[in-house]
Structures are given as structure tokens and as C-alpha cells.
Amino acid sequence: MKVTTRGSFPISYESLRVKQKVRGGVHHQGPNEIGVLGVSGIVKMIKAVMMMNTQGKPRLAKFYDFLPVEKQQELIRSVFSVLSSRPENVSNFLEIDSLFGPDSRLVYKHYATLYFVLVFDGSENELAMLDLIQVLVETLDKCFSNVCELDIVFNYSKMHTVLDEIVFGGQVLETRSDEIMKAVEEISKLEAASNSISLVPKSVSGWRGGR
Amino acid sequence: MSGMRGLSVFISDIRNCQNKEAERLRVDKELGNIRTCFKNDKGLTPYKKKKYVWKMLYIHMLGYDVDFGHMEAVSLISAPKYPEKQVGYIVTSCLLNENHDFLRLAINAVRNDIIGRNETYQCLALTLVGNIGGREFAESLAPDVQKLLISSSCRPLVRKKAALCLLRLFRKNPDVVNADGWADRMAQLLDERDLGVLTSSMSLLVSLVSNDYEGYSSCLPKCVKILERLARNQDVPQEYTYYGIPSPWLQVKTMRALQYFPTIEDPSTRRSLFEVLQRILMGTDVVKNVNKNNASHAVLFEALSLVMHLNAEKEMMSQCVALLGKFISVREPNIRYLGLENMTRMLMITDAQDIIKKHQPQIITSLKDPDISIRRRALDLLYGMCDVSNAKGIVEELLQYLSTAEFSMREELSLKAAILAEKFAPDLSWYVDVILQLIDNAGDFVSDDIWFRVVQFVTNNEDLQPYAASKVREYMDKIAIHETMVKVSAYILGEYGHLLARRPGCSARELFGILHEKLPTVSSPTIPLLLSTYAKLLMHAQPPDIELQKQIWNVFKKYESSIDVEIQQRAVEYFELSKKGAALMDVLAEMPKFPERQSSLIKKVEDVEDTADQSAIKLRAQQLPSNALVLADPQPVNGTPPPLKVPSISGIKLDHESASQTQSQPNGDLSKAQSQIPSADLVGEMVDSLAIEAPPVDMGSHQRVYREEDGIPDEVDGTAIVPIGDQANKVEPIGNITERFNALCLKDSGVLYEDPYIQIGVKAEWRGHHGRLVLFLGNKVTSPLTSVQALILPPAHLKLELSLVPDTIPPRAQVQCPLEVMNIRPSRDVAVLDFSYKFGTSMVSAKLRLPAVLNKFLQPLQLTSEEFFPQWRSLSGPPLKLQEVVRGVRPLSLPEMENLFNSFRVTICPGLDPNPNNLVASTTFYSENTRPMLCLARIETDPADRTQLRLTVASGDSTLTFELKEFIKEQLIAIPMGSRALVPAVPVPAAPLAQPPSPAVDANDPGAMLAGLL
């Protein structure tokens, strides 16, 4: 496959631009939207799940508090810019009050070319959240036998299905990867049963290899 | 796996884009295509729709706004086939929020899926509601979701989703889950065998008990049982162990739930819990496998929290501290991090300070950790544990660390070092050393406040002056010094340099020489300060130094034509003044002492906890008003006209801004006029760009005259100067304060107030006419809240005693303040808590009504008809028995009304009134003046018009009868339920106090006739 060059556009510049936009008050905020994640301090929950590659491309992002798309992007970028500057062998925790408001926490894990990130508030235990990332990764590993970034890119819809079986409305739903797999497979069967369109096999020569 | 070739091709295309621009073009093309397809809807197959909607979601993730197709996504929900339905659900929950109009359209379809037989559809629907369900969903779906959760025929897969879905609905509208009806069910759910369902149910419980722990007290022993079972690994299916640990998530959640109960009364439950906790504390080792380590320590840290919460015996606490001490030195960074964080929490909760101090060397080592997250935790801990005994060591470590710390931490670090040095300085010379070192090491990160503060100290402490002067003199010998160092040195040498005159290298001429060397390197705002110093040096030169005078005059002359007005003005003035000789002495006299005020630094430290740029914004905001506000005259803030413009002393201005006008005053006594200027200028320099403290008014004679004439207060109130930042950062409460109060009137624990920084919770216990309310002041952020003040404004009928409220709430700590309440006589007046604190520079204050209301002094009491009727008859009429027709009542069904009455402890006695439309109730009221007093009430409702009813209240005390009647009326008219918000706020004309019952109603009301019989 082609090596993606897209990852090389200046992310820092982008995030800078977005930040200024928000500061300047151009940032659109509808009447019912919650401004910053953290401001809704009453709600105790996992606030967001993000996956991004080591170049900052979002691969999956789910926010459990509604946020306008620009805000989501800004947060993804800011988180990435902090993550990418962290050395190896340090803790999996980040201070992110400035991004997500008071009492928010972030844990992340770095696997090969991907960062898995969970943002949550004081209602959850940091290490338990770290374990949850491990559960997610182990599940994906079973799903795609030896998961790699491309599996995640091209199975976008399946990623959502898997995630929905683990985190539900900002709460931990299931922590057993075999149980999660069972639920996901059930759904896949249902999809296949009523879907006559040809399946795209997991590895298509054009997509694999390279990178 | 369902594949969608179109989606894959699109993703592939996007990946092949060479740059952002190409990506945008591709995305725009796709969006255009989708839009067109949706418009010509006719031929769109469900498969195509599904494909497009997934593409939209992908585009959304890439960061593009997708502002169409929402309708299509929602409409897919009611598609008959699974794949379309599925994508409809997933995409809707990603693209829409709970307030989106389209969502309303889906409620019916969603409900059909929930009550339908298809479990897969149920799951999809529950997931949608769990992710974005709002109030409307809560009201229409809660009963169905509850049914699913407790259904024995549903699979665990559905039930665990139902549990979390219900949690969401409960948060959207707490009324949909009522402890009375649900507590037993909840307790039964905790007997669940399936650990997946149990985990979800536990999350639900955490949410429920955080709102009302009392209602769910029956769940407490069950939680302990579950924890026991897991911790001992009894009967836990292999699949639910994670790296050998029995479901760490469930263990953690269970311990979370337990932390919402204030105490555990039952001794045997308490004992078993402590046994389990002991086992967890002692039985956890650091092992090689990272995942196993994480899981076991997740449980361990939660157990630590629970132990701290339960305020265990000292022995167990010291065990905890010992464990934490171990953690902060392990190799595993996550555990080090959490060890430090929990140690900081430990600081507040126990008297573990001394044990923690033993770990100081290790904590200091953590300050050099490669991980910034850990370094920050270590900094917080060091800051928290610092006191007089260890300040020297800690501050010196901070200073050392400052030179290697990353930029993002330096400002916070230098501020914290400065504060600790000021707060805990064993002697002032050490303080001066620290601050100068700070400026030397990290001048860029030392805000003006810090050097202003050291100048204040030096000015106010004569002993310190020669020392400070000699110290700054030493720094001046360095080749490159920071501009802030130049400023502070110039100021101190100007004022006190002459104290060093006999030392080598410290003659006025030498001091001038060394300072003047720096002048070319400084920015223009520093030059005026240097000019002032030169003038002072010249004055202090003893004997007068002609050579020095020549040099300094040359400087003044040079700047006479400066483009900078401030510099030009000073140069001109000082030149003129210095020609006056003796007059100079008078004008340039030493600066008077500053009034003692609380350090502005401490107020500032919180800002730094936010992002650096944020605090920079605040600082800038503070700096803005400086020139205009501070010296010009602090009074205008209060709206009084500037008193300086008094004709009789036209020449004299305190205002350094107006100095230029002074010059142009034709007949002003120049020397007199200017006599004020230089000192004012220096003070101005101090206060300039800061607005912290107004300077002391110069004690010069002119001014004294002036003051006598005008009676201007000689001390300016510093607090009158409000930094602009305050307005910009106004703190808004979270949630509706009134609703919170209303809810608390009907229950005994909950949140009274919340904003982004603090949460005030209340737990209350009532016994007779006594009550004990505990206020829980919880700091939600990682910086302390300062100047915390709580004042109770008691009404006449209550005796209130609030225990001491600490001035500062440490980061993420919770402070408990018990409040003793005694009820003297019946009254509906409400006590008010006047609460305020400071976060950063913002003063936040709130007046909060305390839920120590009339009904809290009621004790439920259910009477039989044999007990009720004799009492009712014996209280024959006003003023002991009062009757009123209440109109504008919010329509309630009878069971709802019964619940309402029971909730404020007026017990409904069922079956006493023969008319099914009427309710009879009784209760006992306690106060110091009245004995325990029986109260009776009767409510006659009109089935034809639920908005009116007749209320009769009777008791042995006329005031009580009146107050209780009014109270019940208030409750009926403004029912403090969350659901009230949905009812359009019809202004209800409060029924006049003693309105006679309307005869028309009487005639039609069968109850009215009965009333006569009763």
C-alpha cells in the first residue's frame, strides 16, 4: 500500500488555528450544547473514547457528552499533541483539567501505531479504566486475529459495534472479551443474514502491507 | 462481518489523499453526492442509505460538520431489517444530541423496539437511549426499561444494558426511579448471579445512592457480601476473573457504592467489611505482569479510598500510609503516580502528616521523575505537606528543580516556591534569598506579584533593608541578569543603597555605574524605574558628588526628548527637582511602609493550576485596569467622584498620570506640585500592572493638609479594586439551586450547591426538635479553594451552630462541617447559608437556603380511626383548626398526592375518610416551645377539577396550625418535583391567606357535607 503522507500535515498548526477560533468566540455553540465536557460536572461517567494513530489521525472517537464536531477535533488534537510528546516507560495518566475541565482524568495506552485513550471523571478508578483499554484491545485482537491499524481503519462500523458492547452511555457495560465477542458475532450474523451484498474480505491486497 | 464496498473505497480514497486540501475536496464531493441521493430519495435502497450514513459518520469523525442526513439516520431506526435499523441507531447516537428535535420523532419507534420481543432490537434501542436519551425519553420509557431489568425471562445481555439505560434515565430525571418503590428491587438485583448484570446494576446503584443513600440502605450489607465473595474469590466464574483477579471492575464499583454511605452502623457488617479491606490491603503484591498489577492495584487503591472514607482505626490508617510509602518508590510509574495522589489526599484526611514527612526524600526524588504527570503529583504533595519544619528543604528543592523543569511547569513552580517561602520562612533574610534566587533562575516565569511582594517585605522590615540591598548588589555583579532582577535591584538600591555606603563598591557613584550598565539591556517600562533610582542615588550621595551629579544629569538630559512620555516626563521632572537641592530631600524621602495585607500570591496560585495560557489571560486582564484605576484614584470604583480635583489645592496631584498636566499648570507651585510625584510614581510602579493593593498614602505634609480639608479616608480599600478578570470568569452554579433546595426539603441528603470548583453536599439527621446537618464542602479541582467563608443567617425560630469552617479547602478534598439545629417554635422561615470562597482571583459567593424547614421537625405518625376522630373533633375551629380552599394546585392523582404528603412526613392514614377522593393525614411536630404536638390534616379533592382542593389543618397550637397549613399549601402549589419544569410555568396566584371557603365549591363537594360530620 501507499505510505500515507497525510499524517504529515502540521497538526500543531491546525490545533493552534482551532484554539484561536474557539477563543475568539467564533466557535458555534447551540443553546443546548454543553460547552466543555467538564462543565457538566454533575454527570459521572466515561466522557470519551478515542483511538488515534501515532501521526494524530483519529481512527475512532466517541464522546459520551454531546460536543460539536469542531470541539471534538480540537480535543483529539490537543490530546494527541500531549501524547506524542510523552516518552516511553512513563505512567499512563495525563493531567487534562485544562482540556476537559476540573476533575477529569485521562488514561492511555500505546500499542504499535495506535494510541487508545479514555477520558473520564472522578467517578471511575484510573487503573480500572486502564484495564478496560486492555479489554478493548484484547477483544479487537480476537476479532481480527492480531489486530493492526488497518483493521481498525477499514472496519469502522465493526469498531463501533465492539465499543458499544464495552462502554454504554459512558458506563462500563462488559469486561469479558469472550462475552463481548459473542454479542458482536451475533450482530454480525444478523447483518450477514439480511445482507446479500458481497463481503469485503479482511485483507485486500491493495490495503495491506506497506505503511 | 458486513462489508460495504462503497465505504471501504471511500476510506481508501481518503487515505490516499496527499494533503488536507485533497481530503477536504474528496469529502466535499462525497457529501455532495450523498446529499443529492437523499434528495432524490425515491430509488434509495436501504442498503444504500446505510452505506451513506456510515460514510457520514466517518466524515464526522474526520472533523467535518455533517449537518444534513440526520432525518435519514433517524428514519432508519424504524427500518424493518436489522442492518438498516442497526446503522440508524448507531449513527443517530453519534450525530444527534438529546435535545435534537428529530429525536422526538423516534421515541415511538424506540419504545416499540424496547417492548417488542426481539432482543437484538431491544439492545439497539437501549443503547440509543443509554447514549442520548433525554428527559422525554426518561418519562416515557423508564417503566419499560425497569421491566426489562427485573425480568426473569430476558437474557443477561439485555438486562445489563437495561440497568445502564435506567441509570441514564435516572440522571435525566431522578423522579423516574423512586427509592420507595425501587429500593427492594435494587436489593434483589444485587443477588444477581450473572456478574455482567451485577456490574451494571452496581453502576446503577452508585448513581442512586449518590442521590439518596438512605433510601437504599438495605443495599449496604449486600454490597459488603458481594465484596467479600469477590475478594475471597468464592464462587466467581473463571471467565470473570481478569488476570486472576475476580472482576476488578465490580470490586471497584462496589467499593465506590460503599463510599456514598456516610458510615456503617451495623457492627457485624462493619466488621466483615474491614476484614475484607484488610485482606485487600495486605494481600496485594507488585508482580511482573503489568495487566495483573494494574487490576490488583485498581482494587487496592479503591480499598484505600474506602478506608479513608470510613475513617478507620488508626492502626489501619497507618497501614495505608505505609503502603503508600511503598508505592511511591516502586518501579511501576502508574502506581507511583497514584501513590503520590493518594498521599496528597491522605494529608487532608488524617493526622498522617508526620508519617508522610518521613517519605519526603522519596517524594523529592519523584520531582525528578521522567514523567511530567508524576512530577506534578509530587509538586502538589510537596506543596501540601510543607510547613515551618520542612519549608527550607522543600523550597530549596523546588528552586533546584526550577532550572531543569519544563516551561509548562515553571510558572506554577515559581509561584508555589514563592508562597511557601513567604508562608513558612524561618527568617526573612531566607525569604529574600529565595525570591532573588527564584528571579535569577527563572526570571521569565516570575510574575510581577512576586517581586512586588519582596519589595513590600523589605520596605516594612528595617532590619531586612541592608541585607536585601547587599544581596541585590551581589547579583548586580553577574554578567547577565534578568530584567526583573534589574527592577528589583534598582528599586531596593534606590531606597536602601545608601545603607551600604561604607562598603567597598557601594558608593552612590559605584551603584549608579553598575545600574546604568544595565540600562541599555532593559525594555522601556524599566527605564523610568531606573531614572527614579538615579534621582534617589543622587540625593543620598553624601557628601554631594559633583561628578555623579554630572553623569546623572546627562542621563536625564538625554531622556528629556525620549519618545516615551513616561520616561520623558520623569527625566524632565527629576532634572528640575535635583536642581532644587534641599527640596529634593523632602520629595524623595524613603517610601512609607505598606499596609499589612494578605499575600496576593496565595490568591493567585490557583490560576496556575489551569493552563499556563489561561492564567496568562487572567493576568493580562488584571493588568489592563492598572493605570486607569489604581493610582488615579481607587475611589471611583465606588462611584464617588475623584476627590483630587479640588480647586483649593489645584497644584497637588497624587495622580501620576496627571503629572503632565501639573507641568502645564501656569501658576501652580511647581516644587510643591511635583513634590508628590516621584514617590507616587514609585508606588505607582509597585501597583502598576497589578491592582493588588493600593499603596499607603504618602505622609507628606501637603497631603495631610489636603486630607484635613476633604476628609478622604487615608487608607484605601484594596478590595475595592476589582480585577477585570472577575467579571470575565464569573462562576456559574451547576444545576438549579432552587430545585436542589426543594429536593432537599423532601429528603435528607443530596447536593445543595455545585459549581465547577466546589460541591456542597448535605446530610441531615433529625430527632425531635434537634437536627444535625453536615455540610460537605468538596473541592473538585486540583488547586485549593481559599478564603472560604460560611455564615449562617438564622431565622428567629431556629438556633443554629455551625462548627468552624476552614479557610482553605485543599485540592480534591472534602471538608465536613457539622451544623447543629434546634427548633424553637413553628415557623416557615428558612435559614440561609451565606457561602463564599475564592478561586484564583474570582470571588464566588452564594446565598443558599438550608433545608432545615418546618417538615424536618415532623415525625411520621399513622393514626387509626379510633385515635383520629376524637382528636379531630376536640379541635373544633379557628384558630386551632383552619380551613382553606386552595386553588391553582398542580393536578396530581391521589396516589401522587399521597406520596407527596408522605415525603414531607405528613402520614396519610388510608381508609379513614369514607370519601375516596379525600385524604386524611397525621403527624407530630417537635419544637422547644411546643410539646410534641399532634397535627391532623384533611384534604378534600374535587375529581372534576384537580386544580383545587379544600385543606383543613388542626393542631393544639394556633401558630403551628397556621404555619403547617401554609406549608402544605406551598407544597401543593409549587410541587418541588423535577418534572415541574415540564409544566408551563403558569403564574399561580397564591391563594390569599385566609380566604373563606367558596360556597359554590362547598355545595358541589360531597366532602363538604362529610366534613360537617367528621
Side-chain angles (χ1 to χ4, degrees), chain B residues 71-82:
Chain B
M71 190 64 196
E72 282 73 13
V74 172
S75 70
L76 280 176
I77 287 177
S78 35
K81 277 190 178 175
Y82 180 81

Side-chain angles (χ1 to χ4, degrees), chain A residues 6 91 95 138 174 191, chain B residues 17 23 86 243 371 377:
Chain A
R6 289 200 30 241
S91 73
E95 307 261 307
E138 284 178 13
E174 183 54 70
E191 285 178 332
Chain B
C17 290
E23 179 189 289
Q86 181 208 19
Y243 290 91
D371 183 355
R377 287 280 80 90

Side-chain angles (χ1 to χ4, degrees), chain B residues 540-551:
Chain B
H540 284 304
Q542 285 303 339
D545 185 335
I546 302 299
E547 180 55 29
L548 178 65
Q549 189 184 48
K550 212 174 111 192
Q551 288 177 13

Side-chain angles (χ1 to χ4, degrees), chain B residues 260-273:
Chain B
Y260 282 101
F261 293 97
T263 50
I264 295 172
E265 302 286 352
D266 178 46
S268 79
T269 310
R270 193 176 160 89
R271 202 177 325 112
S272 349
L273 179 57

